[in-house]
PDB file of all heavy atoms in Angstrom:
ATOM      1  N   LEU J   1      11.038  13.222  10.617  1.00 76.00           N
ATOM      2  CA  LEU J   1       9.810  12.456  10.821  1.00 76.00           C
ATOM      3  C   LEU J   1       8.738  13.304  11.503  1.00 76.00           C
ATOM      4  O   LEU J   1       7.556  13.245  11.145  1.00 76.00           O
ATOM      5  CB  LEU J   1      10.100  11.202  11.650  1.00 76.00           C
ATOM      6  CG  LEU J   1      10.920  10.106  10.961  1.00 76.00           C
ATOM      7  CD1 LEU J   1      11.274   9.003  11.945  1.00 76.00           C
ATOM      8  CD2 LEU J   1      10.143   9.529   9.773  1.00 76.00           C
ATOM      9  N   LYS J   2       9.151  14.095  12.502  1.00 76.00           N
ATOM     10  CA  LYS J   2       8.200  14.959  13.200  1.00 76.00           C
ATOM     11  C   LYS J   2       7.579  15.978  12.243  1.00 76.00           C
ATOM     12  O   LYS J   2       6.371  16.248  12.307  1.00 76.00           O
ATOM     13  CB  LYS J   2       8.903  15.689  14.344  1.00 76.00           C
ATOM     14  CG  LYS J   2       9.244  14.796  15.537  1.00 76.00           C
ATOM     15  CD  LYS J   2       9.931  15.600  16.635  1.00 76.00           C
ATOM     16  CE  LYS J   2      10.266  14.729  17.844  1.00 76.00           C
ATOM     17  NZ  LYS J   2      10.954  15.495  18.901  1.00 76.00           N
ATOM     18  N   LYS J   3       8.415  16.532  11.370  1.00 76.00           N
ATOM     19  CA  LYS J   3       7.919  17.528  10.426  1.00 76.00           C
ATOM     20  C   LYS J   3       7.036  16.905   9.348  1.00 76.00           C
ATOM     21  O   LYS J   3       6.230  17.599   8.714  1.00 76.00           O
ATOM     22  CB  LYS J   3       9.096  18.263   9.769  1.00 76.00           C
ATOM     23  CG  LYS J   3       9.855  19.174  10.724  1.00 76.00           C
ATOM     24  CD  LYS J   3      10.991  19.888  10.025  1.00 76.00           C
ATOM     25  CE  LYS J   3      11.731  20.826  10.978  1.00 76.00           C
ATOM     26  NZ  LYS J   3      12.841  21.540  10.316  1.00 76.00           N
ATOM     27  N   SER J   4       7.198  15.595   9.124  1.00 80.00           N
ATOM     28  CA  SER J   4       6.438  14.907   8.078  1.00 80.00           C
ATOM     29  C   SER J   4       5.098  14.378   8.566  1.00 80.00           C
ATOM     30  O   SER J   4       4.255  14.005   7.752  1.00 80.00           O
ATOM     31  CB  SER J   4       7.269  13.735   7.522  1.00 80.00           C
ATOM     32  OG  SER J   4       8.508  14.180   7.035  1.00 80.00           O
ATOM     33  N   VAL J   5       4.903  14.331   9.890  1.00 85.00           N
ATOM     34  CA  VAL J   5       3.689  13.723  10.445  1.00 85.00           C
ATOM     35  C   VAL J   5       2.431  14.391   9.912  1.00 85.00           C
ATOM     36  O   VAL J   5       1.515  13.728   9.408  1.00 85.00           O
ATOM     37  CB  VAL J   5       3.710  13.775  11.994  1.00 85.00           C
ATOM     38  CG1 VAL J   5       2.334  13.420  12.551  1.00 85.00           C
ATOM     39  CG2 VAL J   5       4.752  12.816  12.536  1.00 85.00           C
ATOM     40  N   LEU J   6       2.360  15.716  10.009  1.00 86.00           N
ATOM     41  CA  LEU J   6       1.157  16.435   9.598  1.00 86.00           C
ATOM     42  C   LEU J   6       0.900  16.261   8.101  1.00 86.00           C
ATOM     43  O   LEU J   6      -0.255  16.100   7.673  1.00 86.00           O
ATOM     44  CB  LEU J   6       1.278  17.917   9.943  1.00 86.00           C
ATOM     45  CG  LEU J   6       0.040  18.781   9.644  1.00 86.00           C
ATOM     46  CD1 LEU J   6      -1.179  18.242  10.374  1.00 86.00           C
ATOM     47  CD2 LEU J   6       0.303  20.237  10.016  1.00 86.00           C
ATOM     48  N   ILE J   7       1.977  16.266   7.311  1.00 87.00           N
ATOM     49  CA  ILE J   7       1.829  16.084   5.863  1.00 87.00           C
ATOM     50  C   ILE J   7       1.247  14.705   5.563  1.00 87.00           C
ATOM     51  O   ILE J   7       0.319  14.569   4.743  1.00 87.00           O
ATOM     52  CB  ILE J   7       3.196  16.253   5.154  1.00 87.00           C
ATOM     53  CG1 ILE J   7       3.707  17.677   5.349  1.00 87.00           C
ATOM     54  CG2 ILE J   7       3.084  15.931   3.671  1.00 87.00           C
ATOM     55  CD1 ILE J   7       5.110  17.908   4.843  1.00 87.00           C
ATOM     56  N   LEU J   8       1.755  13.678   6.226  1.00 87.00           N
ATOM     57  CA  LEU J   8       1.261  12.318   6.014  1.00 87.00           C
ATOM     58  C   LEU J   8      -0.191  12.185   6.454  1.00 87.00           C
ATOM     59  O   LEU J   8      -0.993  11.504   5.793  1.00 87.00           O
ATOM     60  CB  LEU J   8       2.144  11.318   6.771  1.00 87.00           C
ATOM     61  CG  LEU J   8       3.595  11.209   6.285  1.00 87.00           C
ATOM     62  CD1 LEU J   8       4.403  10.311   7.212  1.00 87.00           C
ATOM     63  CD2 LEU J   8       3.642  10.679   4.853  1.00 87.00           C
ATOM     64  N   VAL J   9      -0.539  12.839   7.553  1.00 89.00           N
ATOM     65  CA  VAL J   9      -1.930  12.808   8.039  1.00 89.00           C
ATOM     66  C   VAL J   9      -2.866  13.447   7.019  1.00 89.00           C
ATOM     67  O   VAL J   9      -3.947  12.919   6.722  1.00 89.00           O
ATOM     68  CB  VAL J   9      -2.045  13.529   9.401  1.00 89.00           C
ATOM     69  CG1 VAL J   9      -3.514  13.738   9.779  1.00 89.00           C
ATOM     70  CG2 VAL J   9      -1.336  12.725  10.481  1.00 89.00           C
ATOM     71  N   ILE J  10      -2.441  14.590   6.472  1.00 90.00           N
ATOM     72  CA  ILE J  10      -3.268  15.283   5.470  1.00 90.00           C
ATOM     73  C   ILE J  10      -3.473  14.404   4.242  1.00 90.00           C
ATOM     74  O   ILE J  10      -4.601  14.269   3.731  1.00 90.00           O
ATOM     75  CB  ILE J  10      -2.622  16.632   5.079  1.00 90.00           C
ATOM     76  CG1 ILE J  10      -2.690  17.603   6.257  1.00 90.00           C
ATOM     77  CG2 ILE J  10      -3.315  17.224   3.853  1.00 90.00           C
ATOM     78  CD1 ILE J  10      -1.912  18.892   6.037  1.00 90.00           C
ATOM     79  N   PHE J  11      -2.403  13.762   3.770  1.00 89.00           N
ATOM     80  CA  PHE J  11      -2.520  12.889   2.597  1.00 89.00           C
ATOM     81  C   PHE J  11      -3.400  11.682   2.902  1.00 89.00           C
ATOM     82  O   PHE J  11      -4.175  11.236   2.048  1.00 89.00           O
ATOM     83  CB  PHE J  11      -1.135  12.450   2.120  1.00 89.00           C
ATOM     84  CG  PHE J  11      -0.519  13.385   1.122  1.00 89.00           C
ATOM     85  CD1 PHE J  11       0.196  14.495   1.529  1.00 89.00           C
ATOM     86  CD2 PHE J  11      -0.660  13.161  -0.232  1.00 89.00           C
ATOM     87  CE1 PHE J  11       0.763  15.371   0.616  1.00 89.00           C
ATOM     88  CE2 PHE J  11      -0.111  14.022  -1.165  1.00 89.00           C
ATOM     89  CZ  PHE J  11       0.607  15.130  -0.741  1.00 89.00           C
ATOM     90  N   ALA J  12      -3.280  11.141   4.120  1.00 90.00           N
ATOM     91  CA  ALA J  12      -4.104   9.988   4.507  1.00 90.00           C
ATOM     92  C   ALA J  12      -5.585  10.382   4.547  1.00 90.00           C
ATOM     93  O   ALA J  12      -6.444   9.650   4.024  1.00 90.00           O
ATOM     94  CB  ALA J  12      -3.654   9.458   5.864  1.00 90.00           C
ATOM     95  N   LEU J  13      -5.888  11.537   5.154  1.00 91.00           N
ATOM     96  CA  LEU J  13      -7.274  12.010   5.203  1.00 91.00           C
ATOM     97  C   LEU J  13      -7.803  12.301   3.804  1.00 91.00           C
ATOM     98  O   LEU J  13      -8.980  12.011   3.496  1.00 91.00           O
ATOM     99  CB  LEU J  13      -7.366  13.265   6.076  1.00 91.00           C
ATOM    100  CG  LEU J  13      -7.144  13.059   7.580  1.00 91.00           C
ATOM    101  CD1 LEU J  13      -7.106  14.414   8.296  1.00 91.00           C
ATOM    102  CD2 LEU J  13      -8.237  12.176   8.169  1.00 91.00           C
ATOM    103  N   TRP J  14      -6.951  12.870   2.982  1.00 89.00           N
ATOM    104  CA  TRP J  14      -7.324  13.147   1.585  1.00 89.00           C
ATOM    105  C   TRP J  14      -7.701  11.849   0.868  1.00 89.00           C
ATOM    106  O   TRP J  14      -8.731  11.785   0.187  1.00 89.00           O
ATOM    107  CB  TRP J  14      -6.155  13.852   0.913  1.00 89.00           C
ATOM    108  CG  TRP J  14      -6.350  14.224  -0.525  1.00 89.00           C
ATOM    109  CD1 TRP J  14      -7.490  14.114  -1.273  1.00 89.00           C
ATOM    110  CD2 TRP J  14      -5.366  14.785  -1.395  1.00 89.00           C
ATOM    111  NE1 TRP J  14      -7.280  14.559  -2.557  1.00 89.00           N
ATOM    112  CE2 TRP J  14      -5.986  14.978  -2.657  1.00 89.00           C
ATOM    113  CE3 TRP J  14      -4.020  15.142  -1.227  1.00 89.00           C
ATOM    114  CZ2 TRP J  14      -5.294  15.515  -3.743  1.00 89.00           C
ATOM    115  CZ3 TRP J  14      -3.345  15.673  -2.307  1.00 89.00           C
ATOM    116  CH2 TRP J  14      -3.975  15.859  -3.551  1.00 89.00           C
ATOM    117  N   GLN J  15      -6.887  10.808   1.047  1.00 89.00           N
ATOM    118  CA  GLN J  15      -7.166   9.527   0.401  1.00 89.00           C
ATOM    119  C   GLN J  15      -8.465   8.910   0.944  1.00 89.00           C
ATOM    120  O   GLN J  15      -9.267   8.353   0.172  1.00 89.00           O
ATOM    121  CB  GLN J  15      -5.990   8.562   0.633  1.00 89.00           C
ATOM    122  CG  GLN J  15      -6.113   7.225  -0.068  1.00 89.00           C
ATOM    123  CD  GLN J  15      -6.114   7.350  -1.575  1.00 89.00           C
ATOM    124  OE1 GLN J  15      -5.400   8.188  -2.145  1.00 89.00           O
ATOM    125  NE2 GLN J  15      -6.922   6.530  -2.246  1.00 89.00           N
ATOM    126  N   VAL J  16      -8.676   9.026   2.246  1.00 90.00           N
ATOM    127  CA  VAL J  16      -9.903   8.474   2.849  1.00 90.00           C
ATOM    128  C   VAL J  16     -11.137   9.169   2.287  1.00 90.00           C
ATOM    129  O   VAL J  16     -12.140   8.522   1.947  1.00 90.00           O
ATOM    130  CB  VAL J  16      -9.858   8.615   4.390  1.00 90.00           C
ATOM    131  CG1 VAL J  16     -11.226   8.309   4.998  1.00 90.00           C
ATOM    132  CG2 VAL J  16      -8.801   7.696   4.974  1.00 90.00           C
ATOM    133  N   VAL J  17     -11.079  10.500   2.195  1.00 89.00           N
ATOM    134  CA  VAL J  17     -12.198  11.268   1.639  1.00 89.00           C
ATOM    135  C   VAL J  17     -12.502  10.831   0.207  1.00 89.00           C
ATOM    136  O   VAL J  17     -13.675  10.677  -0.180  1.00 89.00           O
ATOM    137  CB  VAL J  17     -11.886  12.781   1.691  1.00 89.00           C
ATOM    138  CG1 VAL J  17     -12.909  13.578   0.877  1.00 89.00           C
ATOM    139  CG2 VAL J  17     -11.878  13.276   3.120  1.00 89.00           C
ATOM    140  N   CYS J  18     -11.450  10.593  -0.563  1.00 88.00           N
ATOM    141  CA  CYS J  18     -11.647  10.144  -1.951  1.00 88.00           C
ATOM    142  C   CYS J  18     -12.214   8.726  -2.008  1.00 88.00           C
ATOM    143  O   CYS J  18     -13.062   8.422  -2.854  1.00 88.00           O
ATOM    144  CB  CYS J  18     -10.322  10.219  -2.715  1.00 88.00           C
ATOM    145  SG  CYS J  18      -9.720  11.906  -2.984  1.00 88.00           S
ATOM    146  N   GLU J  19     -11.753   7.841  -1.110  1.00 87.00           N
ATOM    147  CA  GLU J  19     -12.258   6.470  -1.076  1.00 87.00           C
ATOM    148  C   GLU J  19     -13.737   6.436  -0.697  1.00 87.00           C
ATOM    149  O   GLU J  19     -14.515   5.608  -1.187  1.00 87.00           O
ATOM    150  CB  GLU J  19     -11.447   5.639  -0.065  1.00 87.00           C
ATOM    151  CG  GLU J  19     -10.013   5.369  -0.476  1.00 87.00           C
ATOM    152  CD  GLU J  19      -9.909   4.414  -1.649  1.00 87.00           C
ATOM    153  OE1 GLU J  19     -10.873   3.660  -1.888  1.00 87.00           O
ATOM    154  OE2 GLU J  19      -8.867   4.449  -2.344  1.00 87.00           O
ATOM    155  N   LEU J  20     -14.148   7.331   0.188  1.00 85.00           N
ATOM    156  CA  LEU J  20     -15.553   7.405   0.614  1.00 85.00           C
ATOM    157  C   LEU J  20     -16.425   8.113  -0.419  1.00 85.00           C
ATOM    158  O   LEU J  20     -17.654   8.165  -0.256  1.00 85.00           O
ATOM    159  CB  LEU J  20     -15.648   8.145   1.959  1.00 85.00           C
ATOM    160  CG  LEU J  20     -14.994   7.447   3.162  1.00 85.00           C
ATOM    161  CD1 LEU J  20     -15.053   8.343   4.390  1.00 85.00           C
ATOM    162  CD2 LEU J  20     -15.681   6.106   3.452  1.00 85.00           C
ATOM    163  N   GLU J  21     -15.791   8.675  -1.450  1.00 81.00           N
ATOM    164  CA  GLU J  21     -16.489   9.358  -2.540  1.00 81.00           C
ATOM    165  C   GLU J  21     -17.377  10.498  -2.037  1.00 81.00           C
ATOM    166  O   GLU J  21     -18.499  10.705  -2.504  1.00 81.00           O
ATOM    167  CB  GLU J  21     -17.317   8.362  -3.359  1.00 81.00           C
ATOM    168  CG  GLU J  21     -16.462   7.309  -4.037  1.00 81.00           C
ATOM    169  CD  GLU J  21     -17.286   6.371  -4.904  1.00 81.00           C
ATOM    170  OE1 GLU J  21     -18.527   6.443  -4.859  1.00 81.00           O
ATOM    171  OE2 GLU J  21     -16.684   5.575  -5.644  1.00 81.00           O
ATOM    172  N   ILE J  22     -16.838  11.222  -1.041  1.00 82.00           N
ATOM    173  CA  ILE J  22     -17.543  12.403  -0.542  1.00 82.00           C
ATOM    174  C   ILE J  22     -17.595  13.478  -1.632  1.00 82.00           C
ATOM    175  O   ILE J  22     -18.592  14.185  -1.784  1.00 82.00           O
ATOM    176  CB  ILE J  22     -16.852  12.936   0.729  1.00 82.00           C
ATOM    177  CG1 ILE J  22     -16.932  11.877   1.844  1.00 82.00           C
ATOM    178  CG2 ILE J  22     -17.475  14.246   1.188  1.00 82.00           C
ATOM    179  CD1 ILE J  22     -16.181  12.237   3.098  1.00 82.00           C
ATOM    180  N   PHE J  23     -16.493  13.580  -2.378  1.00 83.00           N
ATOM    181  CA  PHE J  23     -16.449  14.457  -3.542  1.00 83.00           C
ATOM    182  C   PHE J  23     -16.140  13.604  -4.768  1.00 83.00           C
ATOM    183  O   PHE J  23     -15.475  12.573  -4.670  1.00 83.00           O
ATOM    184  CB  PHE J  23     -15.365  15.525  -3.386  1.00 83.00           C
ATOM    185  CG  PHE J  23     -15.550  16.418  -2.187  1.00 83.00           C
ATOM    186  CD1 PHE J  23     -14.830  16.199  -1.027  1.00 83.00           C
ATOM    187  CD2 PHE J  23     -16.445  17.463  -2.228  1.00 83.00           C
ATOM    188  CE1 PHE J  23     -14.999  17.015   0.088  1.00 83.00           C
ATOM    189  CE2 PHE J  23     -16.622  18.291  -1.124  1.00 83.00           C
ATOM    190  CZ  PHE J  23     -15.900  18.057   0.037  1.00 83.00           C
ATOM    191  N   THR J  24     -16.598  14.033  -5.913  1.00 83.00           N
ATOM    192  CA  THR J  24     -16.316  13.293  -7.146  1.00 83.00           C
ATOM    193  C   THR J  24     -14.860  13.501  -7.557  1.00 83.00           C
ATOM    194  O   THR J  24     -14.272  14.548  -7.241  1.00 83.00           O
ATOM    195  CB  THR J  24     -17.222  13.778  -8.286  1.00 83.00           C
ATOM    196  OG1 THR J  24     -16.915  15.151  -8.582  1.00 83.00           O
ATOM    197  CG2 THR J  24     -18.694  13.647  -7.908  1.00 83.00           C
ATOM    198  N   PRO J  25     -14.243  12.545  -8.251  1.00 82.00           N
ATOM    199  CA  PRO J  25     -12.857  12.706  -8.727  1.00 82.00           C
ATOM    200  C   PRO J  25     -12.682  13.927  -9.620  1.00 82.00           C
ATOM    201  O   PRO J  25     -11.580  14.465  -9.743  1.00 82.00           O
ATOM    202  CB  PRO J  25     -12.616  11.416  -9.505  1.00 82.00           C
ATOM    203  CG  PRO J  25     -13.580  10.431  -8.934  1.00 82.00           C
ATOM    204  CD  PRO J  25     -14.790  11.225  -8.555  1.00 82.00           C
ATOM    205  N   TYR J  26     -13.789  14.365 -10.237  1.00 83.00           N
ATOM    206  CA  TYR J  26     -13.750  15.556 -11.083  1.00 83.00           C
ATOM    207  C   TYR J  26     -13.368  16.790 -10.270  1.00 83.00           C
ATOM    208  O   TYR J  26     -12.662  17.682 -10.737  1.00 83.00           O
ATOM    209  CB  TYR J  26     -15.131  15.736 -11.731  1.00 83.00           C
ATOM    210  CG  TYR J  26     -15.344  17.050 -12.440  1.00 83.00           C
ATOM    211  CD1 TYR J  26     -14.825  17.268 -13.715  1.00 83.00           C
ATOM    212  CD2 TYR J  26     -16.072  18.077 -11.837  1.00 83.00           C
ATOM    213  CE1 TYR J  26     -15.032  18.476 -14.370  1.00 83.00           C
ATOM    214  CE2 TYR J  26     -16.271  19.290 -12.483  1.00 83.00           C
ATOM    215  CZ  TYR J  26     -15.749  19.481 -13.750  1.00 83.00           C
ATOM    216  OH  TYR J  26     -15.939  20.678 -14.389  1.00 83.00           O
ATOM    217  N   ILE J  27     -13.845  16.839  -9.012  1.00 86.00           N
ATOM    218  CA  ILE J  27     -13.565  17.975  -8.126  1.00 86.00           C
ATOM    219  C   ILE J  27     -12.319  17.736  -7.286  1.00 86.00           C
ATOM    220  O   ILE J  27     -11.476  18.617  -7.138  1.00 86.00           O
ATOM    221  CB  ILE J  27     -14.772  18.248  -7.200  1.00 86.00           C
ATOM    222  CG1 ILE J  27     -15.987  18.646  -8.032  1.00 86.00           C
ATOM    223  CG2 ILE J  27     -14.447  19.324  -6.172  1.00 86.00           C
ATOM    224  CD1 ILE J  27     -17.249  18.823  -7.225  1.00 86.00           C
ATOM    225  N   LEU J  28     -12.220  16.532  -6.726  1.00 88.00           N
ATOM    226  CA  LEU J  28     -11.096  16.215  -5.838  1.00 88.00           C
ATOM    227  C   LEU J  28     -10.497  14.858  -6.215  1.00 88.00           C
ATOM    228  O   LEU J  28     -10.957  13.820  -5.731  1.00 88.00           O
ATOM    229  CB  LEU J  28     -11.546  16.196  -4.372  1.00 88.00           C
ATOM    230  CG  LEU J  28     -10.442  15.971  -3.333  1.00 88.00           C
ATOM    231  CD1 LEU J  28      -9.475  17.151  -3.310  1.00 88.00           C
ATOM    232  CD2 LEU J  28     -11.046  15.756  -1.946  1.00 88.00           C
ATOM    233  N   PRO J  29      -9.478  14.857  -7.066  1.00 91.00           N
ATOM    234  CA  PRO J  29      -8.811  13.596  -7.400  1.00 91.00           C
ATOM    235  C   PRO J  29      -8.025  13.084  -6.201  1.00 91.00           C
ATOM    236  O   PRO J  29      -7.624  13.859  -5.330  1.00 91.00           O
ATOM    237  CB  PRO J  29      -7.878  13.987  -8.541  1.00 91.00           C
ATOM    238  CG  PRO J  29      -7.600  15.437  -8.318  1.00 91.00           C
ATOM    239  CD  PRO J  29      -8.854  16.009  -7.728  1.00 91.00           C
ATOM    240  N   SER J  30      -7.821  11.783  -6.136  1.00 90.00           N
ATOM    241  CA  SER J  30      -7.085  11.194  -5.015  1.00 90.00           C
ATOM    242  C   SER J  30      -5.612  11.581  -5.100  1.00 90.00           C
ATOM    243  O   SER J  30      -5.107  11.911  -6.180  1.00 90.00           O
ATOM    244  CB  SER J  30      -7.216   9.672  -5.041  1.00 90.00           C
ATOM    245  OG  SER J  30      -6.514   9.136  -6.147  1.00 90.00           O
ATOM    246  N   PRO J  31      -4.907  11.524  -3.968  1.00 90.00           N
ATOM    247  CA  PRO J  31      -3.469  11.831  -4.009  1.00 90.00           C
ATOM    248  C   PRO J  31      -2.699  10.853  -4.900  1.00 90.00           C
ATOM    249  O   PRO J  31      -1.713  11.245  -5.534  1.00 90.00           O
ATOM    250  CB  PRO J  31      -3.035  11.710  -2.542  1.00 90.00           C
ATOM    251  CG  PRO J  31      -4.125  10.990  -1.844  1.00 90.00           C
ATOM    252  CD  PRO J  31      -5.380  11.281  -2.593  1.00 90.00           C
ATOM    253  N   ILE J  32      -3.162   9.611  -4.966  1.00 91.00           N
ATOM    254  CA  ILE J  32      -2.495   8.625  -5.827  1.00 91.00           C
ATOM    255  C   ILE J  32      -2.627   9.033  -7.289  1.00 91.00           C
ATOM    256  O   ILE J  32      -1.660   8.986  -8.060  1.00 91.00           O
ATOM    257  CB  ILE J  32      -3.078   7.216  -5.594  1.00 91.00           C
ATOM    258  CG1 ILE J  32      -2.758   6.743  -4.176  1.00 91.00           C
ATOM    259  CG2 ILE J  32      -2.524   6.233  -6.624  1.00 91.00           C
ATOM    260  CD1 ILE J  32      -3.403   5.428  -3.801  1.00 91.00           C
ATOM    261  N   THR J  33      -3.841   9.437  -7.682  1.00 91.00           N
ATOM    262  CA  THR J  33      -4.065   9.898  -9.059  1.00 91.00           C
ATOM    263  C   THR J  33      -3.228  11.133  -9.365  1.00 91.00           C
ATOM    264  O   THR J  33      -2.628  11.255 -10.436  1.00 91.00           O
ATOM    265  CB  THR J  33      -5.560  10.231  -9.265  1.00 91.00           C
ATOM    266  OG1 THR J  33      -6.344   9.070  -9.016  1.00 91.00           O
ATOM    267  CG2 THR J  33      -5.820  10.711 -10.687  1.00 91.00           C
ATOM    268  N   THR J  34      -3.175  12.052  -8.406  1.00 92.00           N
ATOM    269  CA  THR J  34      -2.397  13.288  -8.592  1.00 92.00           C
ATOM    270  C   THR J  34      -0.908  12.992  -8.754  1.00 92.00           C
ATOM    271  O   THR J  34      -0.245  13.540  -9.643  1.00 92.00           O
ATOM    272  CB  THR J  34      -2.602  14.234  -7.393  1.00 92.00           C
ATOM    273  OG1 THR J  34      -3.996  14.521  -7.254  1.00 92.00           O
ATOM    274  CG2 THR J  34      -1.834  15.526  -7.585  1.00 92.00           C
TER     275      THR J  34
END
């Protein structure tokens, strides 16, 4: 769990960035899409 924390945080931030549409899906697809 300790080793997974940073990975989960990165994926969560990635999803938030995609939800806010800071970048277009063409450049940065969401982790769910990937």
Side-chain angles (χ1 to χ4, degrees):
L1 290 173
K2 287 180 179 179
K3 291 181 179 180
S4 303
V5 168
L6 184 57
I7 297 173
L8 295 173
V9 169
I10 291 172
F11 271 86
L13 291 174
W14 180 6
Q15 184 64 37
V16 169
V17 169
C18 292
E19 291 290 339
L20 295 175
E21 297 183 352
I22 297 175
F23 300 100
T24 64
Y26 169 79
I27 297 175
L28 184 66
S30 69
I32 294 174
T33 301
T34 302

